[in-house]
Amino acid sequence: MTKKGVFIVIEGLDGSGKTTQAVLLTNRLSESHNAVYTAEPSLGKTGTFIREHCLYGEKRLPTEAEALLFAADRVEHMQNEILPALEEGKLVICDRYVYSSLAYQGSAGLSLDWIKTINARALQPDFAVFIDVPPERVLERLQRKKSVMETLETQRKVREVYLKFVEKGELIRVDGDNLKEAVAEALYATVLDLLKTFKDSIS
Ligand code: TYD
């Protein structure tokens, strides 16, 4: 298959505003491109299982089991949604992807190499952005019931892993500790700039 389309990943802590920002970005890009929003855990069978059974219990599953479930969801999501959209030349904005597994399950003790191995079939994104908000701020913002991942200690560790990938140049950091509109503007400008390289692949 010749890959068309562009695959963009948006990452961030829980409560960082990443979903709002990914949706705003998709709407704005839709003015000029065929852009679609999607997210993990996905709406497929495995993603629904994760949402229903793994996020809000008394305690977390064994971390290996979490990582395997997220990896399984990713295979399903990729085959059913991401690849078909890319084949149509769409710009796919994906809210969380392999970096979430590296950051959340990696910071819970799993080796990053093992997480990469079980995700080896997952298509590489063209680029990935990390919306950075301090962990103290994200937890203040979360009004709803907190999931098993949403403690200050967990979020701090998760951010550390994300920042390692920023240092390596695999994630592009956008400052998310600002007004919604300002973050949206910064994210849009960053993505537009990166998209210049891909202008022949998108519809
Ligand atoms: P989240 O984006 O917060 O979903 P929603 O906004 O619909 O509640 O994702 C749910 C949780 O799943 C979040 O705490 C991060 C976690 N997660 C992982 O731990 N590993 C992964 O690979 C993914 C995709 C998510």
Side-chain angles (χ1 to χ4, degrees):
M1 176 197 88
T2 334
K3 197 187 85 152
K4 295 186 285 179
V6 178
F7 183 25
I8 304 171
V9 165
I10 309 289
E11 293 280 355
L13 300 182
D14 300 275
S16 62
K18 127 198 97 48
T19 300
T20 306
Q21 291 298 340
V23 171
L24 286 173
L25 176 70
T26 310
N27 292 344
R28 191 133 178 221
L29 288 170
S30 295
E31 291 165 14
S32 46
H33 298 90
N34 199 344
V36 284
Y37 168 87
T38 187
E40 291 187 2
S42 79
L43 299 174
K45 286 188 181 172
T46 324
T48 304
F49 180 86
I50 292 173
R51 284 177 196 286
E52 287 179 359
H53 300 287
C54 310
L55 297 180
Y56 295 97
E58 282 290 295
K59 59 181 183 125
R60 286 176 73 161
L61 279 179
T63 318
E64 287 84 351
E66 274 183 5
L68 289 163
L69 283 169
F70 284 116
D73 178 42
R74 198 156 289 130
V75 170
E76 194 186 332
H77 187 209
M78 195 181 62
Q79 289 197 358
N80 294 344
E81 289 186 59
I82 299 173
L83 286 178
L86 290 174
E87 278 165 23
E88 287 171 22
K90 290 183 180 162
L91 221 158
V92 177
I93 320 290
C94 187
D95 179 346
R96 295 198 183 281
Y97 197 60
V98 181
Y99 291 108
S100 282
S101 290
L102 293 164
Y104 282 79
Q105 281 65 53
S107 66
L110 292 191
S111 110
L112 298 187
D113 281 343
W114 186 70
I115 299 172
K116 284 182 188 166
T117 302
I118 61 171
N119 282 281
R121 303 294 286 269
L123 184 73
Q124 273 289 111
D126 289 302
F127 54 89
V129 177
F130 171 54
I131 300 184
D132 191 18
V133 178
E136 295 74 12
R137 180 92 72 253
V138 298
L139 291 181
E140 265 165 40
R141 280 189 195 168
L142 281 177
Q143 298 298 322
R144 60 169 168 74
K145 185 176 172 215
K146 294 187 180 36
S147 80
V148 287
M149 317 276 181
E150 292 166 354
T151 66
L152 184 56
E153 201 199 343
T154 306
Q155 297 292 313
R156 279 191 179 138
K157 288 189 193 157
V158 169
R159 179 168 179 262
E160 273 171 31
V161 183
Y162 275 134
L163 289 180
K164 280 196 190 128
F165 286 103
V166 170
E167 264 171 43
K168 287 207 262 176
E170 289 186 40
L171 282 175
I172 298 138
R173 180 184 175 277
V174 166
D175 184 5
D177 194 12
N178 209 332
L179 291 177
K180 186 172 94 179
E181 295 73 18
V183 178
E185 205 51 52
L187 178 63
Y188 182 62
T190 303
V191 169
L192 268 198
D193 198 39
L194 291 161
L195 275 178
K196 284 182 193 149
T197 329
F198 299 95
K199 63 180 184 324
D200 296 332
S201 337
I202 36 183
S203 56

PDB file of all heavy atoms in Angstrom, residues 156-172:
ATOM      1  N   ARG A 156       2.698  12.913  37.625  1.00  0.00           N
ATOM      2  CA  ARG A 156       4.081  13.430  37.580  1.00  0.00           C
ATOM      3  C   ARG A 156       4.990  12.462  36.833  1.00  0.00           C
ATOM      4  O   ARG A 156       5.794  12.858  36.006  1.00  0.00           O
ATOM      5  CB  ARG A 156       4.621  13.605  39.006  1.00  0.00           C
ATOM      6  CG  ARG A 156       4.140  14.878  39.629  1.00  0.00           C
ATOM      7  CD  ARG A 156       4.926  15.142  40.922  1.00  0.00           C
ATOM      8  NE  ARG A 156       4.466  16.374  41.510  1.00  0.00           N
ATOM      9  CZ  ARG A 156       4.249  16.565  42.814  1.00  0.00           C
ATOM     10  NH1 ARG A 156       4.461  15.586  43.663  1.00  0.00           N
ATOM     11  NH2 ARG A 156       3.831  17.724  43.252  1.00  0.00           N
ATOM     12  N   LYS A 157       4.833  11.177  37.153  1.00  0.00           N
ATOM     13  CA  LYS A 157       5.701  10.172  36.511  1.00  0.00           C
ATOM     14  C   LYS A 157       5.392  10.077  35.023  1.00  0.00           C
ATOM     15  O   LYS A 157       6.278   9.902  34.193  1.00  0.00           O
ATOM     16  CB  LYS A 157       5.477   8.803  37.161  1.00  0.00           C
ATOM     17  CG  LYS A 157       6.040   8.690  38.550  1.00  0.00           C
ATOM     18  CD  LYS A 157       5.948   7.230  38.969  1.00  0.00           C
ATOM     19  CE  LYS A 157       6.192   7.030  40.438  1.00  0.00           C
ATOM     20  NZ  LYS A 157       5.578   5.785  40.912  1.00  0.00           N
ATOM     21  N   VAL A 158       4.117  10.159  34.693  1.00  0.00           N
ATOM     22  CA  VAL A 158       3.703  10.082  33.291  1.00  0.00           C
ATOM     23  C   VAL A 158       4.340  11.248  32.512  1.00  0.00           C
ATOM     24  O   VAL A 158       4.909  11.076  31.433  1.00  0.00           O
ATOM     25  CB  VAL A 158       2.155  10.132  33.193  1.00  0.00           C
ATOM     26  CG1 VAL A 158       1.704  10.333  31.760  1.00  0.00           C
ATOM     27  CG2 VAL A 158       1.544   8.853  33.765  1.00  0.00           C
ATOM     28  N   ARG A 159       4.276  12.443  33.111  1.00  0.00           N
ATOM     29  CA  ARG A 159       4.842  13.625  32.421  1.00  0.00           C
ATOM     30  C   ARG A 159       6.344  13.458  32.199  1.00  0.00           C
ATOM     31  O   ARG A 159       6.868  13.847  31.155  1.00  0.00           O
ATOM     32  CB  ARG A 159       4.565  14.888  33.245  1.00  0.00           C
ATOM     33  CG  ARG A 159       5.152  16.132  32.605  1.00  0.00           C
ATOM     34  CD  ARG A 159       4.613  17.386  33.263  1.00  0.00           C
ATOM     35  NE  ARG A 159       5.164  18.587  32.683  1.00  0.00           N
ATOM     36  CZ  ARG A 159       6.185  19.267  33.211  1.00  0.00           C
ATOM     37  NH1 ARG A 159       6.778  18.828  34.302  1.00  0.00           N
ATOM     38  NH2 ARG A 159       6.606  20.380  32.626  1.00  0.00           N
ATOM     39  N   GLU A 160       7.037  12.862  33.196  1.00  0.00           N
ATOM     40  CA  GLU A 160       8.487  12.672  33.031  1.00  0.00           C
ATOM     41  C   GLU A 160       8.794  11.850  31.787  1.00  0.00           C
ATOM     42  O   GLU A 160       9.727  12.135  31.058  1.00  0.00           O
ATOM     43  CB  GLU A 160       9.076  11.960  34.249  1.00  0.00           C
ATOM     44  CG  GLU A 160       9.458  12.913  35.350  1.00  0.00           C
ATOM     45  CD  GLU A 160       9.829  12.177  36.624  1.00  0.00           C
ATOM     46  OE1 GLU A 160      10.355  11.045  36.544  1.00  0.00           O
ATOM     47  OE2 GLU A 160       9.559  12.736  37.707  1.00  0.00           O
ATOM     48  N   VAL A 161       8.010  10.799  31.566  1.00  0.00           N
ATOM     49  CA  VAL A 161       8.273   9.966  30.374  1.00  0.00           C
ATOM     50  C   VAL A 161       7.990  10.759  29.098  1.00  0.00           C
ATOM     51  O   VAL A 161       8.782  10.752  28.157  1.00  0.00           O
ATOM     52  CB  VAL A 161       7.441   8.656  30.390  1.00  0.00           C
ATOM     53  CG1 VAL A 161       7.785   7.788  29.184  1.00  0.00           C
ATOM     54  CG2 VAL A 161       7.660   7.878  31.673  1.00  0.00           C
ATOM     55  N   TYR A 162       6.869  11.484  29.099  1.00  0.00           N
ATOM     56  CA  TYR A 162       6.569  12.301  27.912  1.00  0.00           C
ATOM     57  C   TYR A 162       7.739  13.256  27.620  1.00  0.00           C
ATOM     58  O   TYR A 162       8.154  13.415  26.469  1.00  0.00           O
ATOM     59  CB  TYR A 162       5.302  13.133  28.148  1.00  0.00           C
ATOM     60  CG  TYR A 162       3.984  12.433  27.866  1.00  0.00           C
ATOM     61  CD1 TYR A 162       2.928  12.516  28.777  1.00  0.00           C
ATOM     62  CD2 TYR A 162       3.767  11.743  26.671  1.00  0.00           C
ATOM     63  CE1 TYR A 162       1.705  11.906  28.518  1.00  0.00           C
ATOM     64  CE2 TYR A 162       2.538  11.139  26.413  1.00  0.00           C
ATOM     65  CZ  TYR A 162       1.516  11.225  27.337  1.00  0.00           C
ATOM     66  OH  TYR A 162       0.308  10.625  27.065  1.00  0.00           O
ATOM     67  N   LEU A 163       8.259  13.889  28.694  1.00  0.00           N
ATOM     68  CA  LEU A 163       9.315  14.884  28.480  1.00  0.00           C
ATOM     69  C   LEU A 163      10.601  14.243  27.947  1.00  0.00           C
ATOM     70  O   LEU A 163      11.345  14.880  27.201  1.00  0.00           O
ATOM     71  CB  LEU A 163       9.585  15.682  29.764  1.00  0.00           C
ATOM     72  CG  LEU A 163       8.462  16.659  30.141  1.00  0.00           C
ATOM     73  CD1 LEU A 163       8.798  17.405  31.429  1.00  0.00           C
ATOM     74  CD2 LEU A 163       8.169  17.677  29.028  1.00  0.00           C
ATOM     75  N   LYS A 164      10.825  12.970  28.289  1.00  0.00           N
ATOM     76  CA  LYS A 164      12.006  12.274  27.720  1.00  0.00           C
ATOM     77  C   LYS A 164      11.868  12.189  26.205  1.00  0.00           C
ATOM     78  O   LYS A 164      12.834  12.340  25.461  1.00  0.00           O
ATOM     79  CB  LYS A 164      12.124  10.865  28.303  1.00  0.00           C
ATOM     80  CG  LYS A 164      12.747  10.864  29.668  1.00  0.00           C
ATOM     81  CD  LYS A 164      13.222   9.471  30.057  1.00  0.00           C
ATOM     82  CE  LYS A 164      13.615   9.507  31.530  1.00  0.00           C
ATOM     83  NZ  LYS A 164      12.980   8.476  32.332  1.00  0.00           N
ATOM     84  N   PHE A 165      10.657  11.914  25.745  1.00  0.00           N
ATOM     85  CA  PHE A 165      10.449  11.821  24.291  1.00  0.00           C
ATOM     86  C   PHE A 165      10.509  13.203  23.633  1.00  0.00           C
ATOM     87  O   PHE A 165      10.890  13.322  22.475  1.00  0.00           O
ATOM     88  CB  PHE A 165       9.144  11.089  23.973  1.00  0.00           C
ATOM     89  CG  PHE A 165       9.260   9.612  24.220  1.00  0.00           C
ATOM     90  CD1 PHE A 165       8.717   9.031  25.356  1.00  0.00           C
ATOM     91  CD2 PHE A 165       9.963   8.805  23.336  1.00  0.00           C
ATOM     92  CE1 PHE A 165       8.868   7.669  25.612  1.00  0.00           C
ATOM     93  CE2 PHE A 165      10.118   7.446  23.573  1.00  0.00           C
ATOM     94  CZ  PHE A 165       9.564   6.879  24.721  1.00  0.00           C
ATOM     95  N   VAL A 166      10.147  14.243  24.401  1.00  0.00           N
ATOM     96  CA  VAL A 166      10.306  15.609  23.882  1.00  0.00           C
ATOM     97  C   VAL A 166      11.801  15.881  23.693  1.00  0.00           C
ATOM     98  O   VAL A 166      12.235  16.357  22.633  1.00  0.00           O
ATOM     99  CB  VAL A 166       9.682  16.656  24.837  1.00  0.00           C
ATOM    100  CG1 VAL A 166      10.057  18.070  24.430  1.00  0.00           C
ATOM    101  CG2 VAL A 166       8.161  16.496  24.886  1.00  0.00           C
ATOM    102  N   GLU A 167      12.605  15.518  24.705  1.00  0.00           N
ATOM    103  CA  GLU A 167      14.066  15.731  24.616  1.00  0.00           C
ATOM    104  C   GLU A 167      14.658  15.015  23.415  1.00  0.00           C
ATOM    105  O   GLU A 167      15.537  15.518  22.746  1.00  0.00           O
ATOM    106  CB  GLU A 167      14.747  15.165  25.864  1.00  0.00           C
ATOM    107  CG  GLU A 167      15.005  16.182  26.945  1.00  0.00           C
ATOM    108  CD  GLU A 167      15.478  15.494  28.219  1.00  0.00           C
ATOM    109  OE1 GLU A 167      16.315  14.578  28.150  1.00  0.00           O
ATOM    110  OE2 GLU A 167      14.953  15.875  29.291  1.00  0.00           O
ATOM    111  N   LYS A 168      14.154  13.804  23.150  1.00  0.00           N
ATOM    112  CA  LYS A 168      14.685  13.018  22.020  1.00  0.00           C
ATOM    113  C   LYS A 168      14.194  13.530  20.676  1.00  0.00           C
ATOM    114  O   LYS A 168      14.587  13.040  19.629  1.00  0.00           O
ATOM    115  CB  LYS A 168      14.249  11.553  22.160  1.00  0.00           C
ATOM    116  CG  LYS A 168      14.989  10.822  23.253  1.00  0.00           C
ATOM    117  CD  LYS A 168      15.058   9.338  22.955  1.00  0.00           C
ATOM    118  CE  LYS A 168      13.987   8.574  23.699  1.00  0.00           C
ATOM    119  NZ  LYS A 168      13.956   7.154  23.387  1.00  0.00           N
ATOM    120  N   GLY A 169      13.255  14.466  20.716  1.00  0.00           N
ATOM    121  CA  GLY A 169      12.736  15.029  19.466  1.00  0.00           C
ATOM    122  C   GLY A 169      11.614  14.195  18.852  1.00  0.00           C
ATOM    123  O   GLY A 169      11.164  14.458  17.743  1.00  0.00           O
ATOM    124  N   GLU A 170      11.133  13.167  19.600  1.00  0.00           N
ATOM    125  CA  GLU A 170      10.049  12.334  19.042  1.00  0.00           C
ATOM    126  C   GLU A 170       8.672  12.955  19.284  1.00  0.00           C
ATOM    127  O   GLU A 170       7.721  12.671  18.567  1.00  0.00           O
ATOM    128  CB  GLU A 170      10.081  10.940  19.672  1.00  0.00           C
ATOM    129  CG  GLU A 170      11.257  10.132  19.204  1.00  0.00           C
ATOM    130  CD  GLU A 170      11.195   8.710  19.718  1.00  0.00           C
ATOM    131  OE1 GLU A 170      10.105   8.116  19.747  1.00  0.00           O
ATOM    132  OE2 GLU A 170      12.260   8.200  20.112  1.00  0.00           O
ATOM    133  N   LEU A 171       8.586  13.780  20.347  1.00  0.00           N
ATOM    134  CA  LEU A 171       7.337  14.500  20.613  1.00  0.00           C
ATOM    135  C   LEU A 171       7.636  15.994  20.528  1.00  0.00           C
ATOM    136  O   LEU A 171       8.683  16.445  21.003  1.00  0.00           O
ATOM    137  CB  LEU A 171       6.828  14.199  22.026  1.00  0.00           C
ATOM    138  CG  LEU A 171       6.114  12.882  22.298  1.00  0.00           C
ATOM    139  CD1 LEU A 171       5.807  12.758  23.793  1.00  0.00           C
ATOM    140  CD2 LEU A 171       4.809  12.805  21.523  1.00  0.00           C
ATOM    141  N   ILE A 172       6.715  16.727  19.951  1.00  0.00           N
ATOM    142  CA  ILE A 172       6.882  18.173  19.862  1.00  0.00           C
ATOM    143  C   ILE A 172       6.061  18.796  20.981  1.00  0.00           C
ATOM    144  O   ILE A 172       4.851  18.558  21.067  1.00  0.00           O
ATOM    145  CB  ILE A 172       6.414  18.679  18.490  1.00  0.00           C
ATOM    146  CG1 ILE A 172       7.288  18.038  17.414  1.00  0.00           C
ATOM    147  CG2 ILE A 172       6.471  20.198  18.387  1.00  0.00           C
ATOM    148  CD1 ILE A 172       6.536  17.583  16.235  1.00  0.00           C
TER     149      ILE A 172
END
